[in-house]
Each structure stands twice: as C-alpha cells, then as structure tokens.
Amino acid sequence: MGKFQSWANEQWAPLQRAASWNPPFYRFFGSEHSQVPAGVRPLSGDESCRNLVRLIDTLDGDHPRPHVFRRCLSGMWGTGYRPSPGHEETFGTLASKAVKVADPKEAVAALAQYSPVSPPVTPRNAAPAPRQSSPTEVTFDGQVWAVKKEFVIQSEMRGVADLLDPMNWEQLAPFFKQTQRIDVQKTDAETGSWQGILKETVAFTWNSMTTQSFEAYLKIDYTVTKERVRADYSLEYEEGNQLIVDDGFGEARQVDGGIHYIGLKRLRFVSSILNLVAPAALCMFIESDEDGFRDVLEHKANAIAPPVTAGAKPITSPPK
Amino acid sequence: MPPEEPTTRSKLGTGVAEMLEKQRAQIPKPLLGIAVWNQVPHYDGNAGAAPAALCDLLRDVLDLSLDDALRIYTDRNAAPVVFPPYPDQVIIDAQYESHGSATECEATVQICVPAELDDVKRLTMHPPPWPCQPARDFFWSRVEAPEATRIPQVLNQPWSIKADLNLPEQAVQSVTLNVAKLADNAFESQLKFEMSANRLLTLCSGAITVMKEEGRPGAVRIINKRSVQVAPALAVDAAQLIKYWLQVETVCLALPS
C-alpha cells in the first residue's frame, strides 16, 4: 500500500472539491435554484462525473478516498441526478468502483443505501442495523448557521486523536489546503495537548469557474486525555475579512465498540450570497470530515474493502 | 400579604442604598454590583422614587443611569439578566433556573466567562474548598478545612469541613459539610457537598462543575446547582435566598476581584 494521499496542495483536490459541492447544493436547493447566483452554483451531475474520471485517471485508476468518493456519487444519485445518455456507462463504472459491486446497474442501485437523502429501507419487522452515523443536524439561531454530526468509528483512540489535532486537519477533507500552527501558548509533551493559533487555508471550488479561498487564523485549544480528545476552535480573524463567525469543536470519546465522534461547526460569512449557501456548505464540510476520518483510519489500519471483483469495467474518459 | 406602600418601599430602598454606600469599600466590586443590581427592579415604573444613593452607586459601580439599568433589566426580548452588566468584565453567557416553593427550592446558575480552566479549578478544588471559599465572609465564616494532604485524591471519597454559616439577619450557625470530588480531568472538575441539617436549613446540598466551554478556546463554564429546604426558624423565602446565594458565590468564582 502506497503512502496515503493528503489533500493539502494536491493538484487533484479541486476536482474533488467541485464534484463534492453538487450533492449538498441540490439537497438544499433542488432543481429550483434559479435565484442562487451562478458563481456559487455547482457543476452539473455529468460535469461532476467527468471531474471524478479525470481525478481517477490522474492517479492509479482508483479513487484514493473511498468514503469521499462514495458519498459524492450516492449524494448525486440521491438528490435526483440521472446521467444523460452519453454518461450512463461512465456513471455505472464510477458506481462500480465506489461500492465495489461489479455489475454497473447493481452498483448504481446499491448507491442508494449510502445516500444521506434516501436512507436504506429496513424490511418490516426486521431489527434496525446499528447506526454508525447520525443524520447531519443543521440549526439557525437567527444569526449563525450551525451544523452537527455524530458518528462511531471502529478505531483506536490514538489514530483519531492524531487526526483531530488541528495541525492534521489538512488530511481530512479536500477543502483544507493548509493547516499550520503558527503560535503556541501552551503545550503538554506527555499528552500532545496544546493551545495556540492555527493558520487554516480553506478553499471552496463551487464550479469550474469559481474557487473561493479563506485564510483564517483560529484560536485553538486541543485537549487530549486517555478517554477523550477535543479540539475547540474559534475565529481570531480572516485575512480577507470574509468571515464573521467560524467556531466549533470536534470531540472523540472512547466507547464500547469504538470511538464516538461529535463535530459541531458554526459559521457566518460577511457575504449574504455565501450565507445563502452556508447550510449546504456546512453539511458538505462536516460530512467530508466524517469521510476523512474513515478513509484515513481505514487506510492506516490496512482494512480497505476488497478490490473490485471481475466484471467491473476499467474507467475511461467519457465523451466531452 | 397587602401590597407594599410606595413610601415604605422607598424608605427601605434608601436604607439599603445608604448601607451599601457606607460599606462599599469592604464589599468586593462584583458583589456590590449584584447588590445594587438587585435593587433596580423595585423602581420599574417608579424611577422617580429611587434614592440618590442608589443612582450614585449604579453610576459608580456599573456605569449606568437608572433609566439604562431599568431598560436592560426589563428588556422583554432578552433572556433574564442574571448578572449585572459589569463595565470592566466580560460575561459571555449566563442563565438561571429554579423551581420550588417558599420553603424548598432547587436552582442552577450557569455562567461562561473568558478564563483558563486551571485558574478556576484552583478556586474550587483547593482548600478551603468550595462552597466556602468564594463567598467567604458573606455566607461563611470560620471555615475549618482539613489540610490539603488530608483531602482524598480519589473520586467519590468524601471529606468533612466544619464551618460557620452566616445567613442574612441570622445568628451564626455551625455546620458540617461533606464534600466529594466527582470529576477532575483536563476538561472539567466537579464537586458535590451535603450540609448537616441545622436550625436554619433542614436540607442543603449542591454540586459545582467547572468545564472548558465547547467551541470557545479560552472560556470556562461554571454550573452551580443547589437545593435548600429552609427551617421555620429562618423566615425567608427559599427561592430568594438561593438565588442571592448562588449569584454571590458564582460571581466570586467567575469574576474574582
């Protein structure tokens, strides 16, 4: 197994960022989005597929982040995307790779069970499967949007704690271009806890034309104990004065059967246009964090699902 | 009980304000702020009856005119203002909840302030420990805490404190407190106590939690919870007593003068 790919400064990260914006956007705005300014509208589903194909072609013929990849495709399908005739085969092949099912039609059907919009149907009288991830909660207090996500990861605390360290956030999601500690007020060498300032460069690639970057300086309190780890953060300032509120926390607790994670993020942009899409962007952000944890930890545990079985077609670039 | 005559109320208010004015040098500023603040609602709709001494104290301690103080106090769109708006202190958030009767009451005050957990823990965890430490000389006197080395370092292991309880307008009452540490880690610490039944309080227990505030590096939340059952000898309203007690104790922890 090769070295794990970090998102930071990767050339293919913008391709994933742009594709990842499609599902949450349509989840919130549906097809009636004519009042949303074009600058923050996502790629079409077909364009998103082409992005993903380019990404995979750039690498070793497989997506390096299985959970990110699967959520993206299942989200597109769940929010109503149906490939145009020229993209059906491409979408089927992508789906095969995403859910590790050889038959493209079966793979596309299987995507539904991963979609946050259309959860799997439990047969009548069947016991519900243990829930590994709660629905994403979005709230608005009249000023600030907040998003919360809880999930359980089968992992050791050590690995989760490393990823929760704000300095390592750039490994979690394609939106992090850089997370760098620039000031330390307090450290504990024994536990790894620290307090200080983090410079975080985050980029949203809304579509093929628009990428928006934020250089935020965050006050950090990263606390590590044996059973519980938490990273608290709040905005000090943002270089371009584009953010009013950006705070939250990620917390991991040791529970029976793994690690229980809670993430909460509160955000308010200066721009009213960005505040319009903030709930969708927040969902994308926090759900990508979940995928990031799963991808990195599974990769490190060498426990990635078996490769695609015989019959899956190699991916090829679709017609332009 | 018949409504209080405005003249009586005015005389009482003047007396309280003059007493506070005389003793202001001996009262820590956060406590003086609470005492002054608690006088404000008595003049809602009758600002003209407010004694000059109260207006002077409001201006000196809270940097407010009576009109501004009344406006803040009675703003129906805002949550109840638990603590006064101190001009030189930051209170991020504060809440007060209570339920009960005139003889029994349970209440919780919460306050979130910019502070380091270790600094606040020092006030709660070191002898003489909470609840005696912060409100000492106001609700407590002659606290006999064990030496630090005799305080158990394990959780849920109680230890005893002998202290004198000093409730308003009552003779000093000796009591024993059983205190136990429920949690102590890098995120939070928690203590509980139970007071021996006595002439004034047939029941009194409580718990205090100090914790790092989620999503706010550099902020601490203090949650102070208490239950009391007043004895017939203590002719005060349990709800009023517990509110003032918790206000004083919590503000001393959160905003050390």
Side-chain angles (χ1 to χ4, degrees):
Chain A
M1 190 174 297
K3 184 177 178 296
F4 190 72
Q5 299 273 2
S6 167
W7 291 109
N9 298 317
E10 286 293 347
Q11 288 184 338
W12 43 269
L15 296 171
Q16 182 59 58
R17 284 202 296 267
S20 289
W21 180 225
N22 178 295
F25 180 89
Y26 283 100
R27 196 160 135 202
F28 278 82
F29 295 100
S31 55
E32 300 297 321
H33 57 261
S34 57
Q35 292 186 354
V36 179
V40 293
R41 280 189 225 159
L43 302 176
S44 70
D46 288 347
E47 288 171 320
S48 296
C49 285
R50 290 202 292 273
N51 260 25
L52 292 171
V53 168
R54 284 217 299 278
L55 191 161
I56 290 170
D57 284 349
T58 306
L59 298 166
D60 305 334
D62 209 352
H63 197 292
R65 301 291 188 128
H67 287 275
V68 171
F69 180 42
R70 198 167 59 202
R71 187 187 294 274
C72 185
L73 285 180
S74 65
M76 286 163 60
W77 186 259
T79 52
Y81 166 66
R82 298 295 178 266
S84 61
H87 287 77
E88 282 173 344
E89 189 180 341
T90 305
F91 188 72
T93 310
L94 287 169
S96 289
K97 283 183 173 287
V99 298
K100 314 291 182 193
V101 171
D103 180 67
K105 282 187 180 170
E106 287 178 18
V108 170
L111 276 178
Q113 70 177 301
Y114 296 102
S115 169
V117 183
S118 48
V121 176
T122 306
R124 192 184 294 268
N125 300 326
R131 180 165 245 165
Q132 293 294 298
S133 179
S134 71
T136 308
E137 293 175 30
V138 182
T139 53
F140 184 57
D141 68 3
Q143 298 286 328
V144 180
W145 286 102
V147 66
K148 184 179 175 189
K149 185 84 180 164
E150 293 185 48
F151 51 88
V152 175
I153 319 172
Q154 318 300 324
S155 174
E156 298 294 318
M157 181 59 105
R158 176 68 188 273
V160 178
D162 284 348
L163 278 174
L164 248 179
D165 187 334
M167 288 189 287
N168 294 327
W169 287 352
E170 63 188 25
Q171 289 185 39
L172 281 177
F175 315 103
F176 292 109
K177 293 183 81 174
Q178 186 186 40
T179 48
Q180 181 188 6
R181 187 168 71 181
I182 59 165
D183 187 28
V184 185
Q185 279 125 31
K186 203 171 168 185
T187 56
D188 181 339
E190 192 181 333
T191 62
S193 301
W194 63 274
Q195 294 174 0
I197 301 292
L198 184 87
K199 182 184 178 187
E200 172 198 79
T201 306
V202 166
F204 292 103
T205 302
W206 304 117
N207 48 53
S208 55
M209 303 293 286
T210 321
T211 290
Q212 197 153 14
S213 290
F214 300 85
E215 287 192 17
Y217 291 79
L218 302 175
K219 187 174 183 179
I220 300 290
D221 186 354
Y222 173 61
T223 311
V224 182
T225 64
K226 199 175 168 189
E227 299 86 14
R228 187 177 172 195
V229 178
R230 192 167 85 210
D232 292 296
Y233 62 94
S234 66
L235 181 70
E236 288 282 278
Y237 67 99
E238 195 274 325
E239 286 277 9
N241 292 321
Q242 302 174 92
L243 294 172
I244 297 171
V245 176
D246 181 3
D247 59 45
F249 69 92
E251 180 179 283
R253 283 182 194 240
Q254 187 83 54
V255 294
D256 286 344
I259 304 294
H260 179 225
Y261 179 88
I262 304 175
L264 181 131
K265 186 173 182 64
R266 294 164 14 98
L267 190 66
R268 182 174 167 84
F269 295 103
V270 171
S271 156
S272 56
I273 292 171
L274 293 184
N275 283 323
L276 179 68
V277 296
L282 278 167
C283 283
M284 174 176 69
F285 208 91
I286 207 155
E287 288 168 358
S288 293
D289 280 352
E290 177 184 1
D291 296 331
F293 274 106
R294 295 193 190 284
D295 282 333
V296 176
L297 293 169
E298 284 178 12
H299 179 91
K300 285 185 176 170
N302 211 1
I304 295 174
V308 182
T309 49
K313 293 179 181 175
I315 201 153
T316 51
S317 297
K320 304 290 179 195
Chain B
M1 197 178 200
E4 213 174 0
E5 288 296 324
T7 48
T8 310
R9 190 169 62 184
S10 178
K11 280 179 189 168
L12 275 171
T14 303
V16 170
E18 286 174 351
M19 185 267 289
L20 291 172
E21 177 64 46
K22 275 183 195 163
Q23 298 193 4
R24 62 189 292 180
Q26 284 78 49
I27 304 174
K29 218 171 168 183
L31 294 193
L32 191 58
I34 288 177
V36 173
W37 185 246
N38 285 346
Q39 294 300 307
V40 170
H42 297 311
Y43 302 98
D44 188 10
N46 191 21
L54 175 66
C55 296
D56 291 347
L57 281 167
L58 269 172
R59 189 193 60 233
D60 294 349
V61 179
L62 300 178
D63 199 18
L64 288 174
S65 67
L66 180 64
D67 286 344
D68 285 342
L70 281 166
R71 184 177 47 75
I72 294 168
Y73 210 106
T74 57
D75 184 354
R76 297 289 182 251
N77 293 321
V81 182
V82 185
F83 295 104
Y86 296 104
D88 50 358
Q89 304 273 9
V90 176
I91 295 177
I92 297 167
D93 173 46
Q95 294 161 37
Y96 181 79
E97 285 176 11
S98 70
H99 56 88
S101 64
T103 54
E104 283 184 57
C105 191
E106 182 176 300
T108 304
V109 67
Q110 290 196 32
I111 188 169
C112 179
V113 289
E116 292 301 323
L117 179 66
D118 287 345
D119 294 338
V120 182
K121 270 168 83 171
R122 206 165 291 133
L123 289 169
T124 58
M125 304 297 274
H126 286 235
W130 172 87
C132 310
Q133 167 80 347
R136 198 162 178 187
D137 299 331
F138 292 90
F139 283 93
W140 304 96
S141 54
R142 203 185 62 83
V143 177
E144 288 178 5
E147 291 173 10
T149 50
R150 292 184 54 207
I151 293 178
Q153 294 304 304
V154 291
L155 300 181
N156 297 309
Q157 191 77 261
W159 70 91
S160 294
I161 304 167
K162 288 192 184 306
D164 285 350
L165 182 63
N166 193 9
L167 296 182
E169 298 179 15
Q170 294 293 325
V172 166
Q173 171 70 51
S174 293
V175 295
T176 302
L177 301 175
N178 287 318
V179 184
K181 195 188 292 184
L182 302 182
D184 187 18
N185 56 54
F187 292 96
E188 64 182 345
S189 73
Q190 189 177 36
L191 287 172
K192 69 170 184 178
F193 84 95
E194 279 185 21
M195 184 189 292
S196 55
N198 57 73
R199 184 177 56 87
L200 302 176
L201 300 172
T202 48
L203 187 150
C204 180
S205 63
I208 190 165
T209 308
V210 295
M211 57 171 72
K212 286 185 175 181
E213 178 75 344
E214 291 177 341
R216 280 189 196 272
V220 167
R221 180 168 292 269
I222 299 169
I223 304 170
N224 201 356
K225 186 176 182 180
R226 187 149 308 167
S227 298
V228 295
Q229 190 178 63
V230 296
L234 181 63
V236 298
D237 184 295
Q240 286 182 6
L241 172 73
I242 203 170
K243 184 175 184 189
Y244 186 44
W245 198 351
L246 286 176
Q247 273 182 318
V248 166
E249 201 172 283
T250 308
V251 87
C252 288
L253 279 171
L255 310 172
S257 53

